[in-house]
Amino acid sequence: MNESFSPEVPGRRALARPRSLTPPGRWTLSGALALLMLSLGACRDTPREEQEPGEQVEEAPHPVGLTIDAMDNEQHVLRGGFRVDAGVVRVEVYEGSMLLGEAVLEGEGRWSIPWQPSHASEALEVIAYHDTGTENRTRLDFQRLSFTSPESLYASEALLTLPTSPDTTTRYTLDGSTPGPSSPVYTAPLALMNRSGQPAPLSLIRTNPEVSPEDWRWKPPTLPVTLGTVVRVQRFAGETPVETGQARTYLIGQRPYTLPVLSLVTDAENFFDAVRGIYVPGRVYEETPGGFEGWGTGNYMQDGKDWERPVHVEWFEEAGTPVIAQNAGVRIHGSGSAALPQKSLRLYAKEDYGPELFHADIFPGHPLRDFKRLMVRTSGQDQQYTKLKDCVFQGLLRDTTLALQACRPTVVFLNGEYWGLHELRERYDEYYLASHHGLNRKDIVILENAGDLDTGEPEDSLPYTELLTYVREHDLSVPEHYAHVVERMDVEDFIDYHVAQLYFGNEDWPDNNVKFWRNRAGNGATGAGDGRWRWLLYDLDASFFAGPEFNSLGRLLHDERLGEPFVVLLRSLLKSPDFKGLFIARFRWHLENTFAPERVVAFLDAAAARLEPELPEHIGRWRYPTSMERWREDVQFMRDTALRRPDALRGFLEQELGAP
C-alpha cells in the first residue's frame, strides 16, 4: 500500500502563454563571473577583554564601526573596515597577544594586512588609533571546524582544517568550481567569515529571455542575497586527482532558517554557460528564438542524459544537522514551468558520481529511506501565487491508496548563493513504484496523457489502447462488459483519482499532467502489482484557480474541447449503474471527510505558517510572488474556496448525475 505525506506546513488565473519571443543580447558566463570580487561586509564590534593594569582607554566620541570582516585565503590577506570619518590614523592587528603588524589603510575606511592562520590560531584583535588620541578595539574568536567531520551548516567565524596525506597535495576552491591542478594549495587552516555584502554573481544571471511576458519575466533581486561558504576539496598525486572530490557548505554567522536547507554545488558553467548550461535560454534559444507558440525555447527545455550535469548535494535539517552529502547528477525538471525564472530540478543518485542511492530519513514518517531520484521543485506555476498547492493537496489524500509524493519545503543554496524556496519531493518513476510496492522495476510500465509511452517497451502501450477500444465499442451498462473493464483497471483507484482532480478544479487536467501505470508481470498477483492500470496524481498547481463555483464535473463530462482519449473512460464507465453508484457514494464520502472544509483549511493554515517566515527573503530574491500582501490574498482565496467547494460540488453531482 502506498502512503502519502502532507508537508509539515501546510490563484485564481492560469498563466498566460507568450505569443512570441525575440532574442535578447547574448549573455556570457565570464562577464557575469567577473562581478565576483572580494567586497567587504560588516561584522560585530567587541571590546578587548585584556587590558594592562592601570591602563586608561578613552573611547572615541563616536562609534567607528571597527570590523574584521573578510579573509582572502588564497592571497593570505585579512581585511576589515571602519567609518570613513572616524579619524583613524593607524590600525594594529594582534593574533592573541602577538602583534602581527600595522595594517595598510586602503582608503574609503578599509584596512588590510598579510596573515595566514596556523593550527594554533584562536583569536584576532584589532586596535584603531584616532587623530584625537583615542582608540577602539574589536576582537574575533574562531570556532574550529574539520572538513572530514559532519559539521553543522551553521557556524560562527571559523578556522577550517582540510584533509591531507603525505603522498598527495590538497587543493581547494571557494567559488563552487571543481578544484584542478592549478587551484590553490592547502597549507594552513582556512579562515571562514560571514560573507554579508559580497557579490552574488549567479543571482544576476537572467534565467529566461528578456522578452518573456512581464508576469513571468526574470527580474534581479531587490534584497542582498544571503551567501554561504562552499569549500570544494580534491587531493592530487602530481596532476592526477586522487579519490572523489567533495564539498562542504557553511552558513557563517547567519541566522538559522526555519526550514531544512539543500546546498547544491557545481561548476557554474553546468548551469549558466550558453552552450552547456541547463538553467539559461542559451544557445538553443539563440538558434530558435521566435516563431513558436507556448512557453518558448531554451537550454532549460532540453532533457535526457545529454542534459544531465554533475552536482554535489548536501541536505541539512532545520537545526543545521547534516543528513546527505554526496555527488549526484542534476537535470531540469518540468515542461512549461521550466520557462519560469526559478526552475525545478531532478537529482539522480548514480554510481557514475558516487552512491547509487540517497540513503537518509528525508521525509518524517516515510516508510522508505532509500531514494534513487529526488525532485527539487519550485511549485511549478504556483511559484507565482501561493507555493503551497501541490504539497498541501497531495497531503490531504494521505489516507487513500493513491500514489502520492512525499514533500518537504526547503531552502536551496546554489554554489553558496541563496536560491530560494523549493520542495524536496519524491519523483514518480519505475524506482518509486518498485520501492513502494516491492516490485521489479523492469516490469513497471508508465504511460502518460492519451497513452504515450513514458517507461517500458513500445508494445507496453497496447493493453491500454485495447482497453480504450473496448469501452468505445461496448456498452458498459451491460454487467459483463463492465466486468471486463474492472479486470483491467483499478476502478476504486480511478474514482479516488478523479474525485480529487474534480474537487481541486485542476484546469491543467485532464488533457495534460496525466500518468498511469501497471506491473506487466502482474498476472495472478494481488494488490498494486496485480497488473491493472492505476493513476498517479501530480502537478496540482493550477487547482483552485476558478473559485468554489467552478463546475469541473460538467467540464469533464461535456466540454468538447477536451480530447476524447482523455475523457472516454469516465464518460463510458458512468453508463454502468454499478460504477455510477460507487462514484457518487465515494465522491460524497470524500466531500464529508477528506475535503471537509475545516480539515482543508487546517492543512492550508499549517503550510502557510511554515512558509511565511521565509517568504520575504524568497520574494526579495525572485520577485514571485510579487509581494507578501499578494501572497496572503491568494492564500485567503484558497481558504474561501475550501469553505464553499463541497456544497458547490454536491450541487453539481445532482445537476450532472442526478445524485439524490
Side-chain angles (χ1 to χ4, degrees), residues 432-494:
Y432 168 97
L433 294 165
S435 298
H436 277 271
H437 300 295
L439 303 174
N440 184 340
R441 69 173 182 84
K442 295 183 179 180
D443 293 327
I444 301 296
V445 176
I446 303 175
L447 304 184
E448 60 183 359
N449 294 327
D452 303 322
L453 184 66
D454 176 274
T455 301
E457 303 298 329
E459 62 272 16
D460 287 329
S461 61
L462 292 177
Y464 186 73
T465 301
E466 293 169 355
L467 176 61
L468 294 192
T469 299
Y470 186 89
V471 301
R472 291 182 182 113
E473 297 176 351
H474 294 78
D475 181 0
L476 298 193
S477 65
V478 178
E480 51 265 37
H481 296 167
Y482 175 61
H484 178 89
V485 174
V486 170
E487 290 176 356
R488 286 157 178 80
M489 58 177 281
D490 186 332
V491 167
E492 293 186 359
D493 179 273
F494 182 80

Side-chain angles (χ1 to χ4, degrees), residues 10 46 65 91 162 204 212 215 229 258 334 354 375 424 488 554 631 640:
T46 55
V91 172
L162 303 186
L204 299 178
S212 298
D215 60 352
T229 297
T258 60
M375 289 197 308
L424 193 64
R488 286 157 178 80
W631 176 77
D640 295 341

Side-chain angles (χ1 to χ4, degrees), residues 215-425:
D215 60 352
W216 49 273
R217 184 181 305 160
W218 177 89
K219 299 177 178 67
T222 58
L223 296 177
V225 175
T226 300
L227 298 173
T229 297
V230 172
V231 183
R232 294 191 76 171
V233 171
Q234 178 70 65
R235 287 188 287 175
F236 289 83
E239 295 191 355
T240 303
V242 176
E243 300 178 345
T244 303
Q246 295 294 325
R248 295 287 182 272
T249 304
Y250 307 93
L251 291 181
I252 304 296
Q254 297 287 355
R255 69 166 180 87
Y257 286 97
T258 60
L259 297 172
V261 171
L262 179 69
S263 173
L264 303 176
V265 180
T266 187
D267 290 330
E269 290 81 1
N270 289 329
F271 271 49
F272 304 110
D273 181 70
V275 175
R276 58 180 284 103
I278 64 175
Y279 214 92
V280 291
R283 186 176 66 182
V284 171
Y285 174 75
E286 292 171 1
E287 293 176 350
T288 56
F292 51 84
E293 299 295 331
W295 294 98
T297 66
N299 288 9
Y300 42 68
M301 290 295 190
Q302 311 311 301
D303 56 19
K305 183 66 169 64
D306 289 345
W307 289 89
E308 180 177 307
R309 302 290 180 258
V311 67
H312 186 81
V313 179
E314 291 178 278
W315 166 263
F316 302 88
E317 288 289 356
E318 288 95 328
T321 306
V323 178
I324 293 174
Q326 68 186 72
N327 295 322
V330 62
R331 303 181 194 178
I332 294 293
H333 173 81
S335 52
S337 63
L340 301 179
Q342 188 190 32
K343 306 175 195 307
S344 299
L345 304 169
R346 297 179 196 165
L347 302 178
Y348 292 78
K350 291 183 176 181
E351 188 178 6
D352 295 351
Y353 306 108
E356 295 186 32
L357 296 168
F358 298 106
H359 178 74
D361 285 324
I362 300 174
F363 305 107
H366 197 284
L368 302 179
R369 298 184 73 247
D370 292 322
F371 304 92
K372 187 68 175 174
R373 297 167 181 170
L374 293 168
M375 289 197 308
V376 186
R377 197 168 185 272
T378 63
S379 305
Q381 297 177 21
D382 191 42
Q383 68 179 265
Q384 299 179 292
Y385 301 101
T386 72
K387 293 190 70 67
L388 297 173
K389 290 181 183 177
D390 196 63
C391 277
V392 170
F393 288 161
Q394 287 203 39
L396 287 168
L397 299 163
R398 63 188 177 186
D399 295 328
T400 70
T401 59
L402 289 170
L404 302 167
Q405 300 160 295
C407 174
R408 288 196 71 184
T410 184
V411 171
V412 171
F413 279 75
L414 178 61
N415 282 6
E417 297 187 22
Y418 173 84
W419 216 249
L421 293 171
H422 295 66
E423 306 148 0
L424 193 64
R425 308 288 298 270

Side-chain angles (χ1 to χ4, degrees), residues 623-653:
R623 315 276 291 274
Y624 301 106
T626 54
S627 67
M628 288 298 296
E629 291 72 23
R630 174 62 190 270
W631 176 77
R632 292 187 181 103
E633 289 175 2
D634 287 336
V635 172
Q636 185 59 48
F637 183 81
M638 289 182 66
R639 291 191 187 97
D640 295 341
T641 299
L643 291 172
R644 297 162 52 195
R645 186 68 174 149
D647 283 344
L649 283 166
R650 290 184 184 98
F652 298 142
L653 281 172

